[in-house]
């Protein structure tokens, strides 16, 4: 206990003494944390920029960090590879001596455990291998193989070498994957190729175009691998670029299986390079916004910082970042070919606490992480991962209600479900018998009193208007389980507008009840962040659109229904939605994640029943047969989308016109 208190006091003192942990102004950029809903929240800096490596680079394009923190930097236009020690002091330069060892536009470097320096010497179309003393030991050119004909251009850009000496080479413009080459220079096949991303447009082209036209189209080829590295376990990190983000960063085992599951990673559209630290956290540098990104070991984006230059050589910002590495001190070393610089970033005490706590959390060492989580909660209440850790600790301590609160704040559905299961279990053990008896008494009382109450109410001398209002509401309750009979009886009847308005208001209340009352497991959005007017529009806009579209379409196509009958039928068709919502909302607050299939299935049944009611209403009110009703329902849906599209265009034009006159008014005034 004393040791824990000492750790907490030390961390709090470090946070108080380290301005970088508490002030956003100490970094020339904003650091954001990606919360459980994918939103970016501004927090304290995780990393702050350090100095530039004091070396005149022309175009640094690749960085490699060895196990003893020596840094190798590839200078493409300088035709050299520079080595620096752990203090970023120059040690040696490779590839500048005239002769066979001279490099030409090198782009990648890898240093083996034995100290041999492998260089992707792109200009010379080879892999050059240097001794630790800087002498050329051997070189590898394009291997002779049946699969590598004259059309295959061997232009190596990046490479990694496993502990057997097998090279994995990224070749410029090749969608075949990494070229594997043995120590003897023999071709070992391709590895880890990306999959081609089929699109709807390409599928439609195959249906419409003939073979001659298809041959003229640009082939949908797999994306080339832009960068490759090796982690501490011998897995390959491959980097690709693509707008869909799927598989842009992969961690491949010996069988070519992606341990990240080909996830669609945030900020990975223009990823240039990636690295991994000893704790398993992934780091990426992307070129479009000049951001550095920290990913969890599972590939979830945690933090993003950095940015593009706003002034000349501003620390922490980039022009065109190309590569990064991470050393044993968890410093990030980033090459920027646009500025011709290499700079390093150091962790803040807040960043150290955050990533240390997160590492323990991912490894299941919850008890050890307690001091870190409590410190982080004091430093920043917006850090969701803190509440995940505190939730796990509360769960271990048996404080299930507190754990539910923490998991709710962290948007952790799985943890919340586990805590709620324990709360529900405790409640059932304490009150199950009493609740069962109360339910039985209530059911018996309902059976005994409901019919008598209805009979008594029926004998009372109600005014004609109220009596009719009650009968129509009763008809509405019966119509949802006998739809054909109910809509036939409704067709020739004039239902009071008060009844129709009541049903629509009940549907609106059901929507609000569903939005604000659904359990956290099925809706993680906080009630305070919801817009009641938006919820109102979600129920009213589709309903009104369907009323207008179905009446217009069916009237033109020979439907017999009058407008009032269509409005009546559409109002009564909302009854199943109201009835199901009354069941679904309480159910969503009673089930856990493992039982969510019950809620999901019932919700899907509700959608089917509501759609069936609107279809049956259209068929009966307009006196269509089944096929006619099906066609007209499809046309009505299409008309709804056309109506929305038209209103969107009109709204946009109206806003532009308003903005035009407003700007004129501003200029005049």
């Amino acid at each position: 206990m004393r040791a824990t208190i000492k750790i907490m006091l030390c961390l709090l003192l470090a946070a108080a003494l380290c301005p970088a942990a508490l002030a956003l102004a100490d970094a020339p950029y904003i650091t954001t944390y990606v919360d459980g809903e994918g939103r970016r929240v501004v927090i304290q800096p995780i990393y702050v920029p350090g100095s530039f490596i004091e070396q005149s680079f022309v175009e640094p394009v690749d960085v490699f960090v060895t196990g003893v923190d020596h840094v190798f930097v590839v200078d493409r236009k300088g035709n050299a590879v520079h080595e620096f020690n752990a203090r970023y002091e120059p040690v040696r330069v490779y590839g500048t001596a005239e002769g066979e060892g001279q490099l030409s536009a090198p782009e990648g470097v890898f240093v083996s455990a034995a100290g041999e320096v492998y260089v992707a010497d792109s200009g010379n179309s080879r892999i050059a291998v240097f001794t630790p003393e800087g002498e050329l030991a051997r070189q590898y050119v394009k291997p002779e193989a049946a699969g590598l004909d004259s059309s295959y251009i061997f232009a190596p850009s990046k490479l990694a070498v496993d502990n057997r000496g097998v090279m994995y080479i990224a070749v410029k413009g090749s969608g075949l994957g990494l070229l594997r080459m043995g120590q003897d220079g023999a071709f070992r096949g391709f590895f880890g190729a990306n999959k081609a991303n089929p699109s709807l447009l390409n599928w439609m082209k195959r249906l419409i175009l003939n073979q001659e036209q298809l041959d003229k189209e640009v082939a949908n080829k797999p994306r080339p691998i832009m960068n490759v590295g090796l982690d501490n376990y011998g897995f390959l990190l491959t980097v690709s670029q693509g707008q869909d983000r799927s598989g842009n960063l992969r961690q491949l085992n010996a069988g070519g299986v992606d341990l990240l599951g080909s996830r669609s990673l945030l900020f990975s559209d223009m990823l240039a390079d990636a690295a991994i630290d000893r704790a398993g956290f992934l780091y990426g540098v992307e070129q479009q916004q000049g951001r550095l990104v920290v990913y969890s070991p599972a590939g979830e984006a945690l933090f993003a910082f950095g940015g593009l230059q706003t002034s000349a050589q501003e620390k922490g910002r980039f022009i065109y970042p190309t590569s990064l590495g991470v050393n044993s001190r968890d410093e990030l070393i980033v090459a920027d070919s646009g500025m011709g610089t290499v700079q390093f970033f150091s962790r803040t005490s807040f960043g150290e606490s955050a990533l240390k706590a997160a590492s323990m959390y991912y490894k299941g060492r919850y008890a050890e992480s307690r001091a870190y989580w409590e410190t982080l909660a004091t430093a920043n209440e917006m850090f969701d991962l803190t509440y995940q850790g505190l939730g796990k600790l509360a769960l271990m301590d048996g404080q299930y209600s507190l754990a539910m609160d923490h998991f709710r704040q962290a948007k952790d559905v799985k943890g919340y479900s586990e805590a709620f299961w324990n709360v529900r279990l405790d409640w059932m053990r304490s009150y199950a018998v009493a609740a069962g008896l109360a339910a039985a008494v209530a059911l018996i009382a309902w059976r005994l009193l409901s019919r008598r109450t209805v009979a008594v109410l029926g004998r009372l001398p109600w005014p004609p208007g109220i009596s009719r209002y009650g009968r129509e509401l009763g008809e509405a309750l019966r119509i949802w389980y006998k739809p054909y009979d109910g809509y036939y009886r409704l067709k020739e009847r004039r239902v009071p507008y008060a009844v129709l308005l009541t049903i629509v208001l009940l549907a609106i209340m059901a929507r609000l009840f569903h939005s604000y009352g659904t359990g956290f497991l099925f809706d993680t959005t906080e009630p305070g962040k919801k817009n009641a007017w938006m919820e109102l529009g979600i129920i009213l806009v589709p309903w009104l659109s369907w009323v207008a579209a179905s009446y217009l379409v069916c009237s033109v196509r020979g439907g017999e229904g009058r407008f009032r009958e269509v409005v009546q039928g559409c109002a009564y068709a909302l009854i199943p939605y109201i009835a199901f919502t009354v069941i679904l909302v309480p159910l969503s607050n009673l089930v856990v994640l493992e039982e969510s299939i019950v809620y999901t299935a019932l919700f899907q049944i509700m959608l089917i029943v509501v759609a069936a009611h609107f279809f049956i209403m259209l068929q009966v009110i307009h006196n269509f047969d089944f096929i006619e009703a099906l066609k007209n329902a499809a046309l009505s849906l299409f008309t709804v989308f056309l109506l929305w599209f038209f209103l969107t265009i009109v709204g946009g034009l109206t806003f532009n016109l308003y903005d035009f006159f407003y700007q004129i008014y501003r200029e005049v005034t």
Side-chain angles (χ1 to χ4, degrees):
M1 183 64 182
R2 290 180 180 177
T4 302
I5 294 173
K6 286 181 180 178
I7 292 173
M8 289 177 62
L9 290 175
C10 289
L11 287 169
L12 288 171
L13 181 62
L17 294 176
C18 181
L22 300 174
L24 297 177
D26 288 333
Y29 47 71
I30 292 174
T31 301
T32 56
Y33 167 68
V34 182
D35 69 9
E37 295 182 328
R39 295 172 302 186
R40 299 176 62 186
V41 181
V42 177
I43 62 167
Q44 296 99 318
I46 299 297
Y47 275 88
V48 290
S51 300
F52 296 96
I53 293 180
E54 295 182 1
Q55 177 69 41
S56 297
F57 300 107
V58 184
E59 190 184 9
V61 294
D62 197 28
V63 169
F64 184 86
V65 183
T66 69
V68 293
D69 289 344
H70 277 225
V71 179
F72 288 75
V73 179
V74 178
D75 190 347
R76 179 165 54 189
K77 286 189 177 178
N79 298 317
V81 175
H82 299 264
E83 179 184 359
F84 302 87
N85 62 21
R87 296 184 298 276
Y88 305 119
E89 299 168 341
V91 175
R92 190 172 289 106
V93 181
Y94 298 81
T96 56
E98 293 186 1
E100 197 174 16
Q102 191 170 25
L103 298 174
S104 174
E107 294 196 25
V109 63
F110 185 92
V111 182
S112 69
E116 288 191 315
V117 181
Y118 291 73
V119 181
D121 191 8
S122 304
N124 290 320
S125 300
R126 66 173 182 171
I127 301 296
V129 184
F130 294 89
T131 65
E133 292 74 30
E135 301 295 328
L136 181 69
R138 58 191 181 277
Q139 63 180 349
Y140 298 95
V141 296
K142 178 182 175 180
E144 298 291 334
L148 302 176
D149 56 19
S150 58
S151 64
Y152 186 84
I153 300 174
F154 184 64
S157 59
K158 310 292 178 184
L159 80 159
V161 185
D162 66 15
N163 55 11
R164 302 166 301 169
V166 176
M167 291 169 279
Y168 294 81
I169 305 166
V171 178
K172 286 183 181 180
S174 173
L176 300 175
L178 300 170
L179 186 146
R180 287 197 300 182
M181 188 186 299
Q183 277 190 314
D184 56 358
F187 176 59
R188 300 285 183 86
F190 291 101
F191 182 84
N194 288 309
K195 295 180 180 179
N197 294 324
S199 64
L200 179 61
L201 181 60
N202 289 329
W203 178 76
M204 293 177 65
K205 285 179 179 179
R206 291 194 188 96
L207 292 178
I208 298 171
L209 303 180
N210 57 38
Q211 189 59 45
E212 183 180 352
Q213 292 170 322
L214 287 173
D215 293 339
K216 295 178 182 178
E217 292 287 322
V218 178
N220 182 25
K221 296 180 180 179
R223 294 164 295 154
I225 294 174
M226 308 292 293
N227 217 323
V228 61
L230 206 65
D231 68 10
N232 297 328
Y233 299 99
F235 299 141
L236 289 169
L237 289 177
T238 68
V239 174
S240 306
Q241 294 181 349
Q243 293 298 318
D244 64 351
R245 300 174 180 172
S246 178
N248 281 358
L249 177 58
R250 297 181 298 164
Q251 190 174 19
L252 304 177
N253 64 14
V257 176
D258 182 14
L259 302 182
L260 300 179
S262 297
R263 298 183 62 163
S264 180
L265 274 64
L266 288 176
F267 315 118
S268 67
D269 310 52
M270 292 294 291
L271 209 61
D273 195 9
I276 189 169
D277 66 13
R278 294 167 301 168
F281 288 98
L282 297 161
Y283 302 84
V285 56
E286 66 93 29
Q287 296 172 328
Q288 190 170 18
Q289 300 294 330
R291 280 177 296 214
L292 293 172
V293 189
V294 183
Y295 297 98
S296 74
E300 299 171 342
L302 297 177
F303 308 102
F305 56 94
L308 297 177
Q309 282 285 357
T310 56
S311 60
Q313 212 172 72
E314 185 181 8
K315 283 185 178 181
R317 293 182 177 271
F318 312 100
I319 292 178
Y320 194 73
T322 50
S323 183
L324 90 161
V326 57
N327 61 21
S328 63
R329 301 188 297 272
D330 295 319
E331 293 176 331
L332 301 181
I333 300 99
V334 184
D336 186 349
S337 65
M339 284 200 300
T341 59
V342 176
Q343 63 177 313
F344 63 89
F345 294 75
S346 302
R347 273 190 195 174
T348 64
S349 60
F350 176 78
E352 186 65 31
S353 296
L355 291 172
K356 184 71 174 178
S359 176
M360 290 180 177
Y361 176 81
Y362 293 134
K363 293 175 181 177
R365 294 159 56 187
Y366 307 120
E368 297 176 50
S369 66
R370 184 185 298 273
Y372 293 99
W373 292 127
E374 292 172 350
T375 301
L376 289 169
T378 304
N380 193 324
E381 295 181 354
M382 301 299 292
F383 188 31
D384 284 355
L385 201 58
T386 301
Y387 294 102
Q388 282 185 290
L390 292 175
K392 280 289 185 182
L393 292 173
L395 200 60
M396 291 171 58
D397 295 340
Q399 298 175 315
Y400 303 126
S401 297
L402 180 62
M404 286 173 61
D405 291 338
H406 286 320
F407 286 131
R408 180 187 288 274
Q409 288 179 282
K411 305 294 187 295
D412 185 347
V413 172
K414 187 175 180 181
Y416 181 91
S417 175
E418 186 177 354
F420 177 62
W421 186 88
N422 285 282
V423 169
R424 191 180 67 176
L425 183 63
D426 290 344
W427 186 90
M428 291 175 65
R429 286 171 176 169
S430 302
Y431 304 106
V433 175
L437 290 174
V441 170
L443 181 62
I444 294 170
W446 170 259
R447 296 287 294 177
L448 292 175
L449 299 176
S450 60
R451 291 184 180 179
R452 294 180 182 179
T453 303
V454 171
V456 170
L457 291 175
R459 289 194 295 267
L460 292 176
W462 296 100
I466 295 178
S467 179
R468 186 182 178 191
Y469 181 85
R471 287 197 306 273
E472 293 294 352
L473 282 180
E475 185 69 23
L477 293 174
R478 286 191 295 270
I479 202 172
W480 80 280
Y481 58 89
K482 290 185 178 180
Y484 275 102
D485 180 58
Y487 288 116
Y488 272 118
R489 293 169 59 186
L490 181 67
K491 185 175 179 181
E492 300 298 334
R493 203 165 67 249
R494 292 178 64 87
V495 179
Y497 285 114
V499 175
L500 302 180
L501 183 61
T502 300
I503 296 173
V504 174
L505 288 176
L506 285 173
I508 292 172
M509 292 173 62
R511 175 61 202 174
L512 294 175
F513 182 46
H514 183 269
S515 178
Y516 289 92
T518 299
F520 174 76
L521 296 181
F522 303 96
D523 186 1
T524 59
T525 306
E526 296 175 17
K529 295 180 179 178
K530 293 181 178 180
N531 188 327
W533 292 106
M534 181 68 70
E535 301 299 331
L536 187 66
I538 288 175
I539 187 71
L540 278 183
V541 171
W543 184 78
L544 291 172
S545 301
W546 176 262
V547 169
S550 63
Y551 173 72
L552 292 173
V553 169
C554 295
S555 297
V556 172
R557 295 176 61 85
E560 298 178 1
R562 295 187 294 272
F563 183 72
R564 183 188 178 92
E565 294 171 348
V566 172
V567 173
Q568 290 178 174
C570 288
Y572 276 61
L574 292 171
I575 294 297
Y577 173 74
I578 299 168
F580 272 98
T581 302
V582 172
I583 301 170
L584 281 169
V585 173
L587 181 64
S588 70
N589 289 278
L590 294 175
V591 299
V592 294
L593 206 57
E594 291 78 8
E595 302 158 354
S596 61
I597 184 65
V598 178
Y599 175 88
T600 305
L602 196 60
F603 185 81
Q604 292 173 346
I605 291 171
M606 179 195 73
L607 295 178
I608 293 171
V609 171
V610 171
H613 267 260
F614 276 95
F615 175 79
I616 294 169
M617 180 276 304
L618 183 143
Q619 181 183 1
V620 172
I621 295 297
H622 293 287
N623 199 22
F624 290 138
D625 60 31
F626 182 81
I627 300 300
E628 284 180 319
L630 200 60
K631 291 178 181 177
N632 288 307
L635 282 173
S636 298
L637 276 177
F638 181 68
T639 305
V640 168
F641 290 122
L642 280 181
L643 183 63
W644 289 354
F645 178 74
F646 174 74
L647 291 176
T648 303
I649 297 295
V650 171
L653 293 174
T654 304
F655 175 79
N656 288 337
L657 187 63
Y658 161 78
D659 186 63
F660 172 73
F661 285 111
Y662 178 69
Q663 295 300 332
I664 292 177
Y665 167 76
R666 287 187 60 187
E667 290 294 329
V668 171
T669 55

